Amino acid sequence: MSATNKTRIIAGSAMLAAFATLLMYFDFSVPFMPSFIKMDISDLPALIGSFAYGPVAGVAISGMKNILIIILKGTSTGCVGELSNFLLASIFTATAGFIYKFNKTKKGAIIGVLAGACAMACGGYFTNSLLVYPVYYNFMPKEAIIAAYRAINPNVTTIGQCLLMFNVPFTFIKGMLCSAACMVLYKPLSPILKGKK
């Protein structure tokens, strides 16, 4: 890879990370999730970067986004929310970008984003149950977290049930929203990101 291409990738990734950080300011609550979980489409720039520059760039953009948001906005979760965001975005963008890297067609892009959204939803179950929520218990008791889910569906009694019934479909929907936007935006943005326009 030439120095010019490296510079373009670094500059493009930084620009996408800045845009992703901006999008994080526009998160919002949804009625079918506890208030501490927000919907946003800040994974969109990382997904676009993963398609344009490869899966490593997608992960790097996700990392830069979360570092920037901590610096600019601070954290109300002791960085647990940002850690979760980074892990899920990395799974999503790396999976989609890896598939697209070896099949750079519209079909390859569709397969990539579908696989990425599924991987993020499934991976989120394990990252949340094994890492993110256990750390989060230091800031919010486990019983209080379950109670927040039970306020929406009284039938859930364990964190595992909460994650399966709420977080997994929520994460998949989030991934598909970003995927739909990427399918519309990537083609016109690709020449600019790759310096061909």
Side-chain angles (χ1 to χ4, degrees):
M1 183 185 295
S2 69
T4 302
N5 283 339
K6 285 182 181 178
T7 301
R8 183 180 298 115
I9 290 172
I10 292 170
S13 296
M15 178 190 68
L16 289 168
F19 185 52
T21 304
L22 180 64
L23 287 176
M24 286 195 84
Y25 280 90
F26 297 95
D27 60 359
F28 56 93
S29 299
V30 291
F32 56 88
M33 292 296 290
S35 60
F36 59 85
I37 298 176
K38 307 289 187 182
M39 174 68 80
D40 67 74
I41 58 166
S42 65
D43 295 341
L44 171 60
L47 182 60
I48 290 172
S50 190
F51 277 9
Y53 305 131
V56 174
V59 173
I61 292 165
S62 301
M64 287 189 283
K65 169 191 73 174
N66 282 286
I67 291 170
L68 285 170
I69 203 69
I70 290 170
I71 293 170
L72 297 172
K73 193 178 180 182
T75 176
S76 60
T77 62
C79 297
V80 177
E82 291 76 21
L83 171 63
S84 178
N85 185 285
F86 170 68
L87 292 173
L88 296 182
S90 296
I91 292 170
F92 179 37
T93 58
T95 302
F98 183 80
I99 291 172
Y100 185 70
K101 182 178 180 179
F102 294 100
N103 186 6
K104 293 189 176 183
T105 62
K106 186 174 182 179
K107 182 180 179 181
I110 292 171
I111 293 171
V113 295
L114 284 172
C118 288
M120 178 169 66
C122 294
Y125 176 84
F126 295 102
T127 60
N128 280 320
S129 60
L130 299 176
L131 177 63
V132 175
Y133 273 45
V135 174
Y136 199 59
Y137 298 153
N138 294 309
F139 305 92
M140 187 176 184
K142 184 177 183 178
E143 294 73 21
I145 293 175
I146 294 175
Y149 285 102
R150 284 178 58 83
I152 304 168
N153 183 346
N155 295 318
V156 295
T157 57
T158 67
I159 287 295
Q161 289 176 341
C162 295
L163 293 174
L164 280 175
M165 292 185 69
F166 290 89
N167 293 51
V168 170
F170 172 83
T171 305
F172 180 75
I173 291 169
K174 178 180 176 179
M176 292 312 298
L177 286 174
C178 292
S179 297
C182 182
M183 298 304 292
V184 172
L185 296 173
Y186 179 68
K187 190 171 182 180
L189 288 177
S190 179
I192 300 169
L193 293 170
K194 294 180 178 180
K196 296 178 180 177
K197 195 169 183 178

